[in-house]
Amino acid sequence: MTNRFINRRDLDFVLYEFLDVESFCSWQHFSEHDRQTFDGVLDLSTAIARDCFLPHARTLDEQEPEFDDGRVILPPEVQEGVDAYLESGLMRAHLTFEEDGMQLPTTVSQAAIGMMYAANVSIASYPLLTAGAANLIRALGTDEQRARYEAPMWEGRFFGTMCLSEPHAGSSLGDLTTKAELQDDGTYFITGTKMWISGGDHELSENIIHLVLAKIPGGPEGSKGISLFIVPKHLVNDDGSCGEHNHVTLAGLNHKMGYRGTVNTLLNFGESGSTRGYLVGEPHRGMQAMFHMMNEARINVGYGATMLGYAGYLCALDYARDRPQGRHPDNRDPSTPQVMLIEHADVKRMLLAQKAFVEGGLALCLYTAKLVDIQVAHPDEAVRAEATMLQALLTPICKAWPSDYCLEANHLAIQVLGGAGYTRDYPVERLYRDNRLNPIHEGTNGIQAMDLLGRKVLSDGGQGLRLLASRIETTAQRASDDETLAAHAQAIRAAMGQVAGAAAEVGKQAAMGSLRAALANATLFAQSLGHVVIAWLWLEQALVARRALETCSEGERDFYRGKCSACDYFFRYEVPTIEAKLAVVARLDATCIELDPNTL
Amino acid sequence: MTNRFINRRDLDFVLYEFLDVESFCSWQHFSEHDRQTFDGVLDLSTAIARDCFLPHARTLDEQEPEFDDGRVILPPEVQEGVDAYLESGLMRAHLTFEEDGMQLPTTVSQAAIGMMYAANVSIASYPLLTAGAANLIRALGTDEQRARYEAPMWEGRFFGTMCLSEPHAGSSLGDLTTKAELQDDGTYFITGTKMWISGGDHELSENIIHLVLAKIPGGPEGSKGISLFIVPKHLVNDDGSCGEHNHVTLAGLNHKMGYRGTVNTLLNFGESGSTRGYLVGEPHRGMQAMFHMMNEARINVGYGATMLGYAGYLCALDYARDRPQGRHPDNRDPSTPQVMLIEHADVKRMLLAQKAFVEGGLALCLYTAKLVDIQVAHPDEAVRAEATMLQALLTPICKAWPSDYCLEANHLAIQVLGGAGYTRDYPVERLYRDNRLNPIHEGTNGIQAMDLLGRKVLSDGGQGLRLLASRIETTAQRASDDETLAAHAQAIRAAMGQVAGAAAEVGKQAAMGSLRAALANATLFAQSLGHVVIAWLWLEQALVARRALETCSEGERDFYRGKCSACDYFFRYEVPTIEAKLAVVARLDATCIELDPNTL
């Protein structure tokens, strides 16, 4: 069994050579940093992931959380991993110095968090859900709320959740029925049931701060009538200590295909007694508020998917290097020694596909993190505005593309290991099962596709798409000058043209009033645009690698050549697949939407 | 939780309307049969699958076989299911009347077996492995071997296995090292270790007959020096009773991702004492002998994959029909009722894809069974010869295509159910896990692709492919006359042309001596040819459905319209994807094969 879960060389390449995070240090906000502090954070997180997360991944899969007399029993390894992470201060890495944080670029803190995902996504979820909830209160809470709830979350005394879905309302949040009734003291009584709540109950922390979507009676119907509430498991006293139980009760656990170490719960509010909630932001503005957390969560879902795919790729690679099996088809001499699995063309194909997907996914996720840093700290307002626009466009792609294709990477990793991959003695089947959640939660990939095509492409009049196209064109121009990349430059121009053409046809249809027909093939559009974005980032990586190859040491050549090969693979095997998909989108194919369900 | 696992209406369609199994009754061999006896068998198998297999599927997944003091402990439900199946006589359905069988067409007996796969593949494996082993002894054993070993297998007193892989030799059987040393009495002593042996030990039967590949010292190297042996767990006395233990010892169990009810073992031969084996057929002809069993096993693997995909589709369909969620994107009024999941375009797309894959897979598997029946019983020798050629071509497709695409159907079924699909409360995630074995065992899909392109397309000089092309052309001509199918007719001609073109380029490369380069993209070729075959069978089904729509009752219209929609889907969304893959094959893309493994 492999112990690799991360390729630091590749991470360094993406951070320092592709995204040039060192250049961020010239911006005021990050001026206290340099490569040394970044490397220190990466070394620390590598050590925690390797020592406190990775060794427990199998145990957490095998010892599912148990429901015992209203309590959740977790294996002790969860606490151990969580404590190590909290003690490291990594959770506060992105906070400002005044907030007792490291004021680190998100690009770097995300790189660090990625290692936790790769090593043990189940443990990583607890602090990351907590950070998500804390970030929301940080952005939208009152000073009093920040002091009472947010501060203890960064300390790790309180953990957090997001409570959106209900048994009858998953994707359709507008239909939720949890009620929030205003009391004389300005607080609300919360009643209802929330479903699929990760980290919804446990004893890892003194308290759990639930961020709950609920409706205040009398408000607008649908999603415009949703408000957001802080609902602590235990009420918090003025001195910060935990007081009485707030009647958030555990109604059951979900037993999942994977991701088993992260307890997933059904919670009742206000059933065994009054549950008190505290409004965050304005009444009826809960959806907008929640999207603060949700956009972050969506990017993290895709990032987690990438890192699970990455861990599987490394395992498959190590296995294929070490396992002798068979001979080449043109060698009929059985007395010759067997070759290693990695020598076979089809195994190379499966490994190269994995590499292209997972390293492509990593580039996407950290590029998106860079957009966050630009928005926070770049001195030029126009640059910041463009980053905002690009991030909006890329968020659904960040969520959906890796959870489709890095899951496919996990599938291929199993296949490379063959029978061994199908056993629980190797991590690849678990990594697949863990990753299988990612196309589902935080908005299914179908929802992401509607968001991408409907909101991010059509509703903004194509501004975001044009910005992306101009960025791609700039890259293509640079690539045209390198004869080994010129064909790829042509291919990505053509591909982006196909995307734009399909979007235009969809736009015409929407303008004629049939939004439903226009969005019918949104998933194929999203997969295709995702491929174009990844192809673009591969071309960028190849440009960096080609330049490096001119001057690098002999020992570094293989790494850069591998980058070029993965880029070639993506352009030769993957980019050509989008034409058929986009043709479906562009012709507004109505096979699915017009299907009579009775005929299924 | 759904209780559907099979769509009898579709099964009847494939058997009676598409493949016209009633016409087989005009052949001498099947002349005792009519639709009534066929229906009787299908009703019986439906009842057994529903009552004795389906209810235990979850239990078998949860209660893995245990290794206890050298014995395998299975949940009692396995015995219950196996006994019901044995008592039904279904295992002997294809045997002749003289053999105490039903002399039933394989097409019908396979239809019956499919229900067992769909309901509980783990139980189904035990009798089906046994049937495979018995069929091999039936074909190649001596009369004495048939009486001693085969007969009790049909009675269910003895079970069977196939023992090919070893810890260091999976795909590369030529490298196996299990030894068979001739003794003075004409028997052999077998020593070695066999890996991945399904049903390798248990107490479901009096005895287990292992069919073991081993090398007789002094024979040729590689796969030409492999012989096949009957190795009983207990020696069988002349009176048919079981005698002393033959020192086949259980060394361990594999703990798998799925398919958990079928015990998978590591077996030692000749370690704790002498293990006696009995040669089947000629020395050193073991691989050819094993292919008797293997070809059957390959078809059954693909068929099992189809039925697991089918069961998942039915579950997703029922869920999508019953679950209200959200509104159409052009309906912004939250006071309107939610629509059912099945109304959403993207859910329809996922269901239609599943339908196209699993009903397409079923048509493929039963069409291939018909080819078996033709070879056994058709009066015209030329027709029989063509069936043999076509079956050889289709066997690797039968194995690989459904295990790729009906697994993809299981993936889509999980997605339709969303969070619910990720829990173990619904069968879809288990069906995925069970099915994930199928692209791996009985020759990985990579191996199937090499077999298809190397042996079945190149080595026979393209005869098989030309035969397929002529069958497809015949179908296309008929479809051209129907204006709703004329575009599909054009599309399949073009697709078959692309396949033939790619095969020709590969053939040129192979003729120039570089077989390794020629086969480098075999998997993409196999996926594409598989798609063409499935498209052809969809066009055939659509022709039947179109004809039926002219005269059928109102109540039947939906079924036939569904067939037409699935055909449309496959032609509009799936067939166009092969062009990009075949372009890779045709240009002999060397990205993968030339990749330096050190750069990964």
Side-chain angles (χ1 to χ4, degrees):
Chain A
M1 189 173 142
T2 179
N3 275 314
R4 288 216 290 166
F5 60 100
I6 188 80
N7 179 353
R8 267 297 289 278
R9 179 66 191 86
D10 185 39
L11 201 59
D12 286 349
F13 171 83
V14 175
L15 290 176
Y16 296 121
E17 298 175 72
F18 168 39
L19 300 176
D20 192 15
V21 291
E22 281 179 278
S23 71
F24 301 4
C25 305
S26 69
W27 308 337
Q28 173 66 30
H29 191 76
F30 300 124
S31 59
E32 302 283 313
H33 288 291
D34 55 23
R35 175 148 183 174
Q36 212 177 343
T37 63
F38 296 161
D39 280 344
V41 168
L42 297 174
D43 291 343
L44 174 65
S45 44
T46 305
I48 291 172
R50 182 191 61 221
D51 300 337
C52 308
F53 278 55
L54 188 66
H56 309 316
R58 184 168 174 173
T59 304
L60 264 60
D61 185 57
E62 288 172 350
Q63 296 174 24
E64 228 173 356
E66 281 175 31
F67 184 83
D68 179 41
D69 194 23
R71 291 168 56 217
V72 172
I73 313 292
L74 296 174
E77 287 84 355
V78 178
Q79 186 86 57
E80 196 184 308
V82 159
D83 285 350
Y85 186 75
L86 289 171
E87 278 159 28
S88 74
L90 286 169
M91 192 157 97
R92 295 190 307 276
H94 66 297
L95 298 183
T96 61
F97 295 127
E98 300 87 73
E99 291 169 304
D100 196 25
M102 300 185 195
Q103 205 158 316
L104 204 65
T106 295
T107 313
V108 178
S109 64
Q110 284 289 85
I113 285 167
M115 300 189 205
M116 311 301 152
Y117 283 132
N120 191 327
V121 75
S122 286
I123 296 182
S125 294
Y126 295 96
L128 288 166
L129 284 164
T130 300
N135 283 334
L136 194 154
I137 300 174
R138 182 177 178 231
L140 301 172
T142 62
D143 287 347
E144 190 271 337
Q145 287 170 338
R146 291 196 61 189
R148 195 181 292 252
Y149 303 108
E150 180 203 341
M153 290 166 93
W154 297 123
E155 292 163 21
R157 284 178 49 222
F158 296 179
F159 276 19
T161 77
M162 50 200 291
C163 298
L164 286 67
S165 296
E166 299 181 2
H168 65 286
S171 297
S172 178
L173 285 175
D175 293 294
L176 63 83
T177 58
T178 293
K179 237 182 353 193
E181 290 171 295
L182 184 60
Q183 305 301 304
D184 292 341
D185 62 358
T187 68
Y188 291 79
F189 279 172
I190 311 289
T191 47
T193 301
K194 291 288 179 179
M195 182 84 169
W196 309 122
I197 310 309
S198 285
D201 204 8
H202 54 71
E203 301 183 354
L204 296 169
S205 55
E206 279 178 49
N207 204 352
I208 301 174
I209 307 305
H210 303 287
L211 289 174
V212 178
L213 291 183
K215 287 182 172 171
I216 300 169
E221 282 191 272
S223 60
K224 296 199 169 101
I226 294 176
S227 306
L228 178 68
F229 298 88
I230 290 171
V231 182
K233 176 179 175 181
H234 297 282
L235 295 175
V236 179
N237 299 320
D238 289 342
D239 66 358
S241 63
C242 292
E244 55 181 308
H245 196 272
N246 194 25
H247 302 288
V248 181
T249 48
L250 181 64
L253 304 187
N254 290 306
H255 297 96
K256 295 173 290 180
M257 183 186 195
Y259 231 110
R260 294 190 181 178
T262 302
V263 65
N264 188 275
T265 61
L266 182 71
L267 297 178
N268 283 330
F269 295 82
E271 194 199 47
S272 58
S274 297
T275 296
R276 211 170 279 274
Y278 308 94
L279 184 69
V280 181
E282 300 290 307
H284 315 313
R285 305 281 296 167
M287 284 299 282
Q288 291 87 333
M290 191 52 94
F291 264 98
H292 245 273
M293 186 164 179
M294 193 93 103
N295 281 327
E296 181 183 326
R298 286 181 173 181
I299 291 170
N300 277 328
V301 164
Y303 190 35
T306 299
M307 298 318 289
L308 290 169
Y310 212 134
Y313 165 57
L314 295 173
C315 178
L317 188 56
D318 289 346
Y319 187 89
R321 278 197 209 290
D322 288 347
R323 167 87 175 165
Q325 194 74 184
R327 287 163 199 80
H328 291 299
D330 47 9
N331 176 4
R332 308 259 180 206
D333 180 358
S335 68
T336 54
Q338 298 198 51
V339 299
M340 294 295 165
L341 259 189
I342 203 170
E343 296 288 338
H344 294 289
D346 198 52
V347 174
K348 287 182 182 181
R349 179 187 63 81
M350 293 191 282
L351 291 169
L352 206 41
Q354 289 172 67
K355 181 180 169 78
F357 293 157
V358 305
E359 295 184 9
L362 180 65
L364 170 65
C365 294
L366 294 183
Y367 177 78
T368 310
K370 178 172 177 170
L371 295 176
V372 174
D373 288 324
I374 290 172
Q375 291 168 80
V376 167
H378 198 282
D380 185 335
E381 191 185 332
V383 174
R384 292 199 302 271
E386 283 198 355
T388 302
M389 190 185 292
L390 213 46
Q391 196 200 338
L393 183 72
L394 292 183
T395 294
I397 294 174
C398 267
K399 194 280 180 180
W401 192 92
S403 60
D404 281 338
Y405 292 95
C406 298
L407 180 65
E408 172 70 13
N410 285 129
H411 170 75
L412 292 171
I414 295 173
Q415 195 67 17
V416 168
L417 271 73
Y422 194 65
T423 70
R424 307 203 295 280
D425 296 330
Y426 290 86
V428 287
E429 68 84 32
R430 172 176 51 73
L431 291 166
Y432 181 91
R433 290 188 288 106
D434 288 346
N435 211 355
R436 185 62 190 84
L437 178 60
N438 288 318
I440 297 171
H441 67 162
E442 310 305 345
T444 63
N445 285 3
I447 302 262
Q448 302 302 322
M450 305 269 277
D451 176 55
L452 178 68
L453 183 54
R455 279 202 204 94
K456 307 297 171 56
V457 171
L458 297 184
S459 294
D460 85 338
Q463 273 194 87
L465 202 61
R466 280 194 299 277
L467 175 60
L468 175 67
S470 77
R471 296 287 176 99
I472 287 177
E473 177 53 31
T474 306
T475 307
Q477 276 172 20
R478 286 193 292 129
S480 307
D481 297 337
D482 180 332
E483 67 177 26
T484 68
L485 299 178
H488 300 340
Q490 273 313 98
I492 200 162
R493 283 179 174 129
M496 188 63 219
Q498 288 159 14
V499 167
E505 294 302 323
V506 169
K508 276 186 227 162
Q509 182 75 20
M512 291 187 323
S514 184
L515 188 62
R516 198 194 303 186
L519 298 182
N521 294 297
T523 294
L524 276 68
F525 179 84
Q527 289 173 351
S528 301
L529 181 50
H531 258 43
V532 169
V533 168
I534 296 293
W536 167 49
L537 297 174
W538 267 118
L539 201 50
E540 283 282 348
Q541 291 185 77
L543 281 163
V544 174
R546 292 278 303 163
R547 206 165 48 233
L549 277 166
E550 290 169 14
T551 55
C552 74
S553 70
E554 198 51 41
E556 283 278 83
R557 291 186 64 79
D558 280 349
F559 174 79
Y560 293 116
R561 286 169 60 219
K563 280 285 170 193
C564 294
S565 294
C567 178
D568 288 343
Y569 175 86
F570 200 81
F571 272 92
R572 292 172 187 161
Y573 284 69
E574 291 295 326
V575 172
T577 64
I578 70 171
E579 189 169 356
K581 290 183 183 179
L582 288 171
V584 170
V585 179
R587 73 172 176 254
L588 295 149
D589 194 295
T591 309
C592 297
I593 199 160
E594 287 179 358
L595 178 79
D596 177 351
N598 293 320
T599 66
L600 282 169
Chain B
M1 187 172 144
T2 178
N3 276 315
R4 288 216 290 167
F5 61 100
I6 188 79
N7 178 353
R8 267 297 290 278
R9 180 65 191 89
D10 184 40
L11 201 59
D12 287 348
F13 172 83
V14 175
L15 291 175
Y16 297 120
E17 299 176 71
F18 169 38
L19 300 175
D20 193 14
V21 292
E22 281 179 279
S23 71
F24 302 4
C25 305
S26 68
W27 308 336
Q28 173 64 30
H29 191 76
F30 300 125
S31 59
E32 301 283 313
H33 289 291
D34 55 21
R35 174 147 185 175
Q36 213 177 342
T37 61
F38 296 161
D39 280 344
V41 167
L42 297 174
D43 291 344
L44 175 65
S45 43
T46 304
I48 292 171
R50 183 192 59 222
D51 300 337
C52 308
F53 277 55
L54 188 66
H56 308 316
R58 183 167 175 174
T59 304
L60 265 60
D61 184 58
E62 288 173 349
Q63 295 174 24
E64 227 175 353
E66 281 175 31
F67 183 81
D68 180 41
D69 195 19
R71 291 166 56 217
V72 172
I73 313 293
L74 295 174
E77 288 85 354
V78 178
Q79 185 86 56
E80 198 184 306
V82 159
D83 285 350
Y85 185 74
L86 288 169
E87 277 159 30
S88 72
L90 287 169
M91 192 155 96
R92 295 191 306 274
H94 66 298
L95 298 183
T96 61
F97 294 128
E98 298 88 74
E99 292 170 305
D100 197 24
M102 299 186 195
Q103 204 157 316
L104 204 67
T106 296
T107 313
V108 178
S109 63
Q110 284 289 86
I113 286 168
M115 301 186 203
M116 311 302 151
Y117 284 132
N120 190 327
V121 75
S122 286
I123 296 183
S125 293
Y126 296 96
L128 288 165
L129 284 164
T130 300
N135 283 333
L136 194 155
I137 300 175
R138 182 177 180 233
L140 300 172
T142 63
D143 288 347
E144 191 271 337
Q145 288 171 339
R146 291 195 61 190
R148 197 183 289 252
Y149 304 108
E150 181 202 340
M153 289 166 93
W154 297 123
E155 291 163 22
R157 284 180 48 224
F158 297 178
F159 276 21
T161 76
M162 51 200 291
C163 298
L164 285 68
S165 296
E166 300 182 2
H168 64 288
S171 297
S172 177
L173 285 176
D175 293 295
L176 62 83
T177 58
T178 294
K179 240 184 346 194
E181 289 171 295
L182 183 62
Q183 305 299 304
D184 291 342
D185 63 355
T187 67
Y188 291 77
F189 278 174
I190 311 288
T191 46
T193 300
K194 290 290 179 179
M195 183 85 170
W196 309 122
I197 310 307
S198 285
D201 204 9
H202 54 71
E203 299 183 355
L204 297 169
S205 55
E206 279 177 48
N207 204 352
I208 301 174
I209 307 304
H210 303 288
L211 290 173
V212 178
L213 292 183
K215 288 184 173 171
I216 301 170
E221 285 191 90
S223 61
K224 294 197 169 102
I226 295 176
S227 305
L228 178 68
F229 299 88
I230 291 172
V231 181
K233 177 179 174 181
H234 296 282
L235 295 174
V236 179
N237 299 320
D238 289 343
D239 67 357
S241 63
C242 292
E244 55 180 309
H245 196 272
N246 195 24
H247 302 290
V248 180
T249 49
L250 181 63
L253 305 186
N254 290 307
H255 297 96
K256 295 173 291 180
M257 183 187 197
Y259 232 108
R260 293 190 183 179
T262 302
V263 65
N264 188 274
T265 60
L266 181 70
L267 297 178
N268 284 330
F269 295 82
E271 194 200 46
S272 59
S274 298
T275 296
R276 211 169 278 274
Y278 308 93
L279 183 70
V280 181
E282 300 291 306
H284 316 313
R285 306 281 296 167
M287 284 298 283
Q288 290 86 332
M290 190 53 95
F291 264 99
H292 246 270
M293 185 165 179
M294 193 93 103
N295 280 327
E296 182 183 326
R298 286 179 173 181
I299 291 169
N300 276 328
V301 164
Y303 190 35
T306 299
M307 300 317 291
L308 289 168
Y310 212 132
Y313 166 57
L314 294 173
C315 178
L317 188 55
D318 290 345
Y319 187 90
R321 279 196 209 289
D322 288 348
R323 168 88 177 166
Q325 194 74 187
R327 287 163 198 81
H328 291 298
D330 46 9
N331 176 4
R332 308 257 182 209
D333 180 358
S335 69
T336 55
Q338 298 199 51
V339 299
M340 294 295 164
L341 259 190
I342 203 169
E343 297 288 340
H344 294 290
D346 198 52
V347 175
K348 288 182 182 181
R349 179 186 64 81
M350 292 191 283
L351 291 169
L352 205 41
Q354 289 172 67
K355 181 180 169 78
F357 293 158
V358 305
E359 295 185 8
L362 182 65
L364 171 65
C365 293
L366 294 183
Y367 177 78
T368 309
K370 178 173 177 170
L371 295 177
V372 173
D373 287 324
I374 290 172
Q375 291 168 80
V376 166
H378 199 282
D380 185 334
E381 191 185 332
V383 174
R384 294 199 301 272
E386 283 198 354
T388 302
M389 192 186 289
L390 213 45
Q391 197 201 337
L393 183 72
L394 293 183
T395 295
I397 294 173
C398 267
K399 193 282 179 178
W401 192 92
S403 60
D404 281 338
Y405 292 95
C406 298
L407 179 66
E408 173 69 14
N410 285 130
H411 170 75
L412 292 170
I414 295 173
Q415 196 66 18
V416 168
L417 269 74
Y422 195 65
T423 70
R424 305 201 299 278
D425 295 331
Y426 289 85
V428 288
E429 68 85 31
R430 172 176 51 74
L431 291 166
Y432 181 91
R433 289 187 289 105
D434 287 348
N435 211 355
R436 184 64 190 80
L437 178 60
N438 287 319
I440 297 172
H441 67 161
E442 310 305 343
T444 64
N445 285 3
I447 301 266
Q448 303 300 322
M450 305 269 278
D451 177 54
L452 179 67
L453 183 54
R455 278 200 206 93
K456 305 300 171 54
V457 171
L458 296 185
S459 294
D460 87 337
Q463 274 193 82
L465 202 62
R466 280 194 298 276
L467 175 60
L468 175 68
S470 77
R471 297 286 177 99
I472 287 176
E473 177 53 32
T474 306
T475 306
Q477 276 171 21
R478 287 192 291 130
S480 307
D481 297 337
D482 181 331
E483 65 178 25
T484 67
L485 299 178
H488 300 339
Q490 273 313 98
I492 199 164
R493 281 179 174 128
M496 187 64 220
Q498 288 159 15
V499 167
E505 294 302 324
V506 170
K508 276 186 225 163
Q509 182 75 20
M512 292 189 319
S514 184
L515 188 62
R516 198 194 304 187
L519 298 182
N521 294 298
T523 294
L524 276 68
F525 179 84
Q527 289 172 350
S528 301
L529 181 50
H531 258 43
V532 170
V533 168
I534 296 293
W536 166 48
L537 297 174
W538 267 117
L539 200 50
E540 282 282 347
Q541 292 185 77
L543 280 163
V544 174
R546 293 278 302 161
R547 208 166 46 232
L549 277 167
E550 290 168 13
T551 57
C552 74
S553 70
E554 197 53 40
E556 283 280 82
R557 292 186 63 81
D558 281 348
F559 174 79
Y560 292 116
R561 287 168 60 219
K563 281 284 172 193
C564 295
S565 294
C567 178
D568 288 344
Y569 175 86
F570 201 81
F571 273 92
R572 293 170 187 162
Y573 284 68
E574 291 295 326
V575 172
T577 65
I578 70 171
E579 190 170 356
K581 289 182 184 180
L582 287 170
V584 170
V585 179
R587 72 173 176 253
L588 296 149
D589 193 296
T591 309
C592 297
I593 199 160
E594 286 179 358
L595 178 77
D596 177 351
N598 293 319
T599 65
L600 281 168

